[in-house]
C-alpha cells in the first residue's frame, strides 16, 4: 500500500481522482485472496457507480488484510514456538503475546501448542501429574512452578553413616595424664602409656588408636638395686621405649 501511495503522489497529475487511485491499486491485486476480494469490490463499485474515497479504500484494505495477516503470523508463532532454554518465563510471555494476537480462546488448542513447545522433560512431568491442567492459565502456573523448583540448587546434606553398636566411642573417652608413679610402673612392666596394658606400645594401641602419643617418655638405666627412671623430652615414643628396652638386663625380668 505504501508503494502505491508513493507512486500516486509522484504521478499526481495523471492519477488525479479517487477513482483513478483505487483503480490503480486494484490492478496490483492479482494473487491469492486479494484477487477475489478485488473482483468483488470492483463489481460492487461499478454497479453502485461509486468507488468512494481513496482514504476509505486504504482503511478497508488494512482492516481486512493487515489484521488477518497479524492473526496468521501469530498462529504460526504458536505452532512453532519452543522453549529453547530453561527460561520458562520468557517462553510463557512470548506464548501469551502470540495468543492475544491470534485471537485463539480454545483451551484445548492452546494447551496443545503450549505443551508441544515445552522441553520434553517438563511436558512429561506435567502430563504425568495426578491432575493434568485443563486450562491454559493452569499450564502456565505448573510449568513455571516446576521449573523454578527443579532449578533451585539444594544444599548438600551428607548421609549419616550407621554407627557400629560394638564400636567404642573414643571421642567421649578422656585419657588421664600419667603421674610419675604410673609412668614408672608402665616403664618397669612394659605397659602401654594409653591403656596401661602390655603387649604393645602406645603408638599401636588398639584401645585408643586416635589418641596422640605422649610428648614425654622415660629413660631407664640399670643400677645395682632398681632401674633408675628419669624424664627426657622425646617426640618419638618408639625410640624412647627402644632405649628403655636396651637399658634392661634379662635378670631384671
Amino acid at each position: 500500500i505504501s508503494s502505491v501511495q508513493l507512486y500516486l503522489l509522484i504521478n499526481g497529475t495523471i492519477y488525479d481522482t479517487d477513482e483513478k487511485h483505487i483503480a490503480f491499486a486494484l490492478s496490483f491485486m492479482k494473487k491469492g485472496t486479494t484477487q477475489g476480494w478485488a473482483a468483488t469490490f470492483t463489481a460492487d463499485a461499478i454497479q453502485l457507480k461509486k468507488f468512494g474515497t481513496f482514504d476509505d479504500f486504504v482503511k478497508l484494505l488494512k482492516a481486512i488484510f493487515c489484521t488477518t495477516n497479524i492473526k496468521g503470523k501469530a498462529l504460526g508463532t504458536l505452532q512453532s514456538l519452543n522453549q529453547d532454554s530453561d527460561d520458562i518465563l520468557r517462553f510463557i510471555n512470548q506464548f501469551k503475546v502470540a495468543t492475544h494476537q491470534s485471537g485463539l480462546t480454545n483451551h484445548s488448542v492452546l494447551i496443545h501448542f503450549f505443551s508441544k513447545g515445552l522441553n520434553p522433560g517438563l511436558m512429561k512431568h506435567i502430563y504425568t501429574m495426578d491432575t493434568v491442567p485443563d486450562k491454559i492459565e493452569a499450564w502456565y502456573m505448573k510449568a513455571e512452578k516446576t521449573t523454578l523448583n527443579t532449578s533451585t540448587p539444594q544444599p548438600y546434606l551428607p548421609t549419616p553413616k550407621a554407627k557400629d553398636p560394638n564400636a567404642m566411642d573414643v571421642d567421649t573417652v578422656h585419657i588421664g595424664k600419667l603421674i610419675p608413679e604410673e609412668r614408672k610402673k608402665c616403664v618397669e612392666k612394659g605397659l602401654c602409656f594409653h591403656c596401661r596394658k602390655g603387649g604393645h606400645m602406645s603408638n599401636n594401641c588398639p584401645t585408643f588408636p586416635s589418641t596422640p602419643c605422649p610428648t614425654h617418655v622415660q629413660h631407664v638405666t640399670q643400677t645395682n638395686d632398681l632401674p633408675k627412671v628419669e624424664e627426657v623430652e622425646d617426640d618419638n615414643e618408639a625410640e624412647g621405649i627402644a632405649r628403655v628396652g636396651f637399658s634392661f638386663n634379662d635378670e631384671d625380668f
Side-chain angles (χ1 to χ4, degrees):
I1 296 176
S2 299
S3 299
V4 171
Q5 289 174 316
L6 179 62
Y7 183 85
L8 294 174
L9 179 64
I10 296 174
N11 298 276
T13 55
I14 301 175
Y15 301 95
D16 53 358
T17 65
D18 286 326
E19 286 80 3
K20 290 180 180 180
H21 288 176
I22 294 173
F24 181 78
L26 289 172
S27 66
F28 288 93
M29 303 173 70
K30 298 179 180 181
K31 293 182 180 180
T33 57
T34 61
Q35 183 179 12
W37 182 88
T40 302
F41 178 87
T42 302
D44 292 340
I46 292 175
Q47 183 179 0
L48 297 173
K49 297 181 180 180
K50 184 179 181 180
F51 281 82
T53 66
F54 184 69
D55 289 340
D56 290 338
F57 177 80
V58 171
K59 291 178 182 179
L60 182 61
L61 286 179
K62 290 182 178 180
I64 295 175
F65 293 104
C66 292
T67 303
T68 303
N69 191 37
I70 291 175
K71 289 184 177 181
K73 287 184 178 180
L75 183 60
T77 300
L78 290 176
Q79 293 175 320
S80 61
L81 192 62
N82 289 307
Q83 182 191 354
D84 296 328
S85 64
D86 292 332
D87 191 355
I88 186 64
L89 295 178
R90 181 172 180 269
F91 173 71
I92 292 175
N93 289 334
Q94 290 178 334
F95 193 90
K96 286 181 177 179
V97 171
T99 298
H100 176 73
Q101 292 176 342
S102 69
L104 279 177
T105 57
N106 187 298
H107 286 273
S108 298
V109 176
L110 291 173
I111 289 173
H112 170 73
F113 291 150
F114 183 77
S115 62
K116 185 172 65 71
L118 292 174
N119 288 340
L122 179 56
M123 177 185 67
K124 181 178 179 181
H125 175 80
I126 297 177
Y127 269 121
T128 54
M129 296 176 66
D130 293 337
T131 303
V132 179
D134 58 355
K135 301 293 183 182
I136 189 62
E137 291 79 9
W139 271 84
Y140 296 154
M141 184 178 65
K142 291 293 184 182
E144 180 180 350
K145 184 177 180 180
T146 302
T147 303
L148 293 178
N149 287 342
T150 56
S151 62
T152 302
Q154 300 297 323
Y156 171 72
L157 298 176
T159 304
K161 297 181 179 179
K163 185 176 182 180
D164 186 356
N166 298 320
M168 179 178 291
D169 191 356
V170 297
D171 292 336
T172 60
V173 179
H174 300 279
I175 304 173
K177 184 178 180 180
L178 287 172
I179 62 176
E181 290 77 6
E182 290 177 330
R183 185 183 296 274
K184 177 180 178 181
K185 180 180 178 181
C186 289
V187 172
E188 291 175 349
K189 295 185 178 182
L191 303 180
C192 172
F193 285 166
H194 292 176
C195 65
R196 282 61 159 175
K197 296 179 181 180
H200 61 272
M201 294 185 295
S202 60
N203 61 341
N204 294 320
C205 181
T207 305
F208 306 107
S210 61
T211 305
C213 296
T215 57
H216 291 77
V217 298
Q218 294 176 337
H219 185 195
V220 182
T221 56
Q222 179 68 30
T223 63
N224 292 333
D225 298 326
L226 293 174
K228 181 179 179 182
V229 181
E230 55 186 5
E231 295 285 342
V232 296
E233 293 289 336
D234 199 323
D235 290 335
N236 189 334
E237 181 194 5
E239 181 180 350
I241 297 300
R243 292 203 300 270
V244 171
F246 283 119
S247 299
F248 282 118
N249 295 322
D250 294 339
E251 60 267 25
D252 294 328
F253 296 90

